[in-house]
Amino acid sequence: MNRRPILVAAVAVTALALAGCSGSSESDGGADSPYRVLLTGGISAQGVLAANSQTSLLATKAGVQVQNEAGGIGGRQIELTTVDDAGDATIAVTKLREAINSGNKPDLYLNSGPSSIAAAVLPILKQNNILSMSMAPSPDSTDPSKFPLNFDLAPGATDTARGISEYAKSKGYSSVGVLHGSTAYGELFGEEMTSALQSAGLKAAGNEEYDAAALDMTAQLQSLKNSGAAAIALDAYGAPLGYVLQSLERLGWDVPLVGNTSVSATNLIANDPPAGVLGTPQVKNLVTQVFSSTVFDPNNALVNTMVDTMASLGSIPSTLILADNYDAFPLVAAAAEKVGSSTDPKKLAEALETTEVQENAKTAFLSRYNFSSDNHGPNPDTSELKFISPTKTLNGQFGNPAAS
């Protein structure tokens, strides 16, 4: 996911001891000490990153509250500390090192993206034997041979590309062009889309990259049109999405757009003008990829508990595409239960790879995670991935009649 450079100083660490935290101040991992969780997020960032970071923070706080009410992790109440990293990897690294050297080393580390932060902190987490769960996939974050204590909560480019290809095939789009940003995630998505289209028996009608700082993508779109694309698989996060839609409108090309989760995470498509483009010709051909939890369902109790708890803690400013961190707590709690209430990070990591833990964890963002000893990505079934036309959102969810 893309972000523009942000020059903001980090604020001081703010400790949030939630729902009955107890125990000694020493990081001894004993039953009487809290289970310490560190979240770094772009609290003081700008634009879409700020809104998404706030949603991530709410999801994290909600997960802590619900899990503490259920008994915590391994019998230890969870203590959450949040740090403002301003969406900057250098700040995130500095604050993580400070937490490690404080005498209260975190038991679990979470982030709120972007992927550059995940890539920067993973070596430090590995060196210090800290369990981590990431909502910002990086190229090797799911490789347990490199980072055995990290698990990605967010589906990565492989998952989203596979889902888009299956959707395109179901719609009869025989040739699909790919348009993606110059970010690390965008480039990976472009590679995975080409492979996924071929695996689905579809023609990859061009693969175009735009500079994430560009204001016009007409040339790339014209190239895809010339290549015979019957639809476009689109990666665009934040401001670039608006420029893509404007460029397509100027070109006058009436082509189906299939957005990935970066598109779904951009509030532009969920707001009426002038703040957004909802209801305008720019999105008439757009469907965007979301997860089941991002779409309102009055009968999904686990998701509704997540949403209601988040809403009780503050206004949810962006879509629930960024609510991944909620699931970290039921996953780790189920792992701790399997290993006899131990919170040793290596034992927890081994347990997270098992079918038993994945089935027992009461997760909501995704209904099921499929970690393995070979891959620490969520690997969701494609039934978890849905494609919807943009709507207004309520509490971060599309499709709620009360939002209209």
Side-chain angles (χ1 to χ4, degrees), residues 198-257:
Q198 293 172 346
S199 297
L202 302 177
K203 177 184 177 182
N207 191 315
E208 293 289 328
E209 177 176 303
Y210 61 83
D211 188 325
L215 306 181
D216 190 304
M217 290 75 168
T218 304
Q220 291 88 342
L221 289 165
Q222 183 68 64
S223 178
L224 294 176
K225 184 178 182 181
N226 294 342
S227 297
I232 296 175
L234 175 63
D235 163 70
Y237 177 63
L241 175 59
Y243 299 132
V244 169
L245 295 175
Q246 290 170 11
S247 298
L248 189 60
E249 187 175 43
R250 283 194 295 269
L251 187 60
W253 186 19
D254 195 30
V255 63
L257 292 174

Side-chain angles (χ1 to χ4, degrees), residues 253-377:
W253 186 19
D254 195 30
V255 63
L257 292 174
V258 186
N260 66 7
T261 52
S262 294
V263 174
S264 306
T266 303
N267 278 349
L268 183 75
I269 64 170
N271 291 318
D272 292 326
V277 294
L278 184 63
T280 72
Q282 290 185 13
V283 293
K284 68 177 183 178
N285 293 322
L286 174 67
V287 296
T288 188
Q289 187 180 49
V290 296
F291 309 119
S292 297
S293 58
T294 326
V295 182
F296 175 69
D297 178 359
N299 300 314
N300 193 325
L302 287 173
V303 173
N304 291 336
T305 295
M306 175 181 72
V307 174
D308 292 345
T309 307
M310 289 176 65
S312 74
L313 296 169
S315 176
I316 303 173
S318 64
T319 68
L320 291 188
I321 289 290
L322 281 302
D324 318 56
N325 285 344
Y326 181 91
D327 282 353
F329 304 101
L331 282 166
V332 177
E337 183 176 358
K338 177 175 174 58
V339 295
S341 297
S342 171
T343 52
D344 176 85
K346 293 183 179 179
K347 292 181 179 179
L348 291 176
E350 292 174 358
L352 285 165
E353 296 172 349
T354 66
T355 299
E356 177 186 345
V357 166
Q358 294 157 18
E359 290 179 344
N360 290 341
K362 299 184 185 306
T363 56
F365 176 75
L366 294 179
S367 64
R368 170 67 188 270
Y369 290 77
N370 296 288
F371 304 127
S372 71
S373 59
D374 297 320
N375 189 297
H376 283 185

Side-chain angles (χ1 to χ4, degrees), residues 98-123:
E98 289 177 357
I100 292 169
N101 295 328
S102 70
N104 289 324
K105 186 177 79 170
D107 296 289
L108 174 68
Y109 171 84
L110 304 173
N111 64 60
S112 67
S115 56
S116 57
I117 287 179
V121 300
L122 280 173

